[in-house]
């Protein structure tokens, strides 16, 4: 039997999704309700990135800075085909679904899907601390 590669190990694990913006727990938008139906909340976590305030929603981008941190919620996905078909349409062309490493609140590293912003950045403010919910509470 051939040794497992990172890719085959990822296929053996359940799908996880990391959300950092309007899909976080406690929001009352319909898309968050769909996420709750098709997955299970696994806890909070962080992703190495920068979070931008894009007006009605945030956008996260990768960062090489080890201190850069985006905070969010980690979900174990039960029905990836249905959920990702829905979320791909919800997120639209300005976001691309990619796999990243997320550090869970327990310290475990989890490979998870995330929607990263790929649109233009023209002076948008960085959300300090990388926490969209805390940012909303301040506004």
């Amino acid at each position: 039997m051939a040794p497992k590669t990172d890719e085959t190990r990822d296929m053996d694990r359940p799908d996880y999704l990391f959300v950092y913006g309007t899909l976080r727990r406690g929001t009352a938008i319909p898309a968050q309700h769909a996420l709750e139906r098709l997955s299970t909340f696994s806890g909070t976590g962080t992703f190495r990135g920068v979070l931008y305030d894009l007006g009605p929603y945030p956008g996260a981008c990768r960062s090489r800075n080890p201190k850069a941190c985006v905070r969010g919620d980690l979900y174990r996905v039960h029905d990836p085909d249905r959920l990702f078909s829905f979320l791909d349409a919800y997120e639209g062309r300005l976001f691309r679904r990619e796999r990243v490493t997320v550090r869970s609140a327990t310290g475990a590293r989890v490979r998870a899907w995330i929607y990263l912003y790929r649109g233009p950045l023209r002076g948008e403010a960085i959300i300090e601390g990388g926490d969209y919910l805390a940012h909303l509470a301040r506004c």
Side-chain angles (χ1 to χ4, degrees):
M1 188 163 159
K4 291 189 177 190
T5 65
D6 285 343
E7 183 177 34
T8 57
R9 275 193 293 272
D10 277 347
M11 292 187 328
D12 290 343
R13 290 189 288 227
D15 280 311
Y16 285 91
L17 173 67
F18 180 75
V19 297
Y20 56 83
T22 59
L23 292 173
R24 291 200 55 196
R25 286 182 77 176
T27 64
I29 64 168
Q32 207 283 329
H33 298 301
L35 177 60
E36 292 285 341
R37 283 193 313 276
L38 299 171
S39 62
T40 302
F41 177 72
S42 294
T44 59
T46 58
F47 152 75
R48 188 189 301 179
V50 176
L51 193 60
Y52 293 93
D53 183 343
L54 303 174
Y57 50 83
C61 298
R62 293 177 188 264
S63 175
R64 292 184 181 161
N65 179 348
K67 294 181 181 181
C69 177
V70 174
R71 300 180 188 291
D73 299 335
L74 192 59
Y75 285 86
R76 182 176 178 178
V77 178
H78 303 300
D79 190 342
D81 291 337
R82 275 184 64 200
L83 181 63
F84 291 130
S85 176
F86 172 78
L87 290 178
D88 288 350
Y90 171 78
E91 295 291 352
R93 295 181 322 212
L94 293 178
F95 292 85
R96 176 182 26 232
R97 180 167 40 104
E98 296 181 22
R99 280 208 177 190
V100 298
T101 300
V102 173
R103 170 98 41 180
S104 75
T106 64
R109 289 185 175 171
V110 178
R111 292 289 289 166
W113 292 104
I114 187 174
Y115 285 88
L116 294 174
Y117 183 67
R118 65 179 188 175
L121 290 170
R122 297 183 182 108
E124 281 77 7
I126 292 175
I127 296 174
E128 296 300 328
D131 188 331
Y132 183 63
L133 296 181
H135 174 70
L136 286 178
R138 288 190 299 267
C139 294

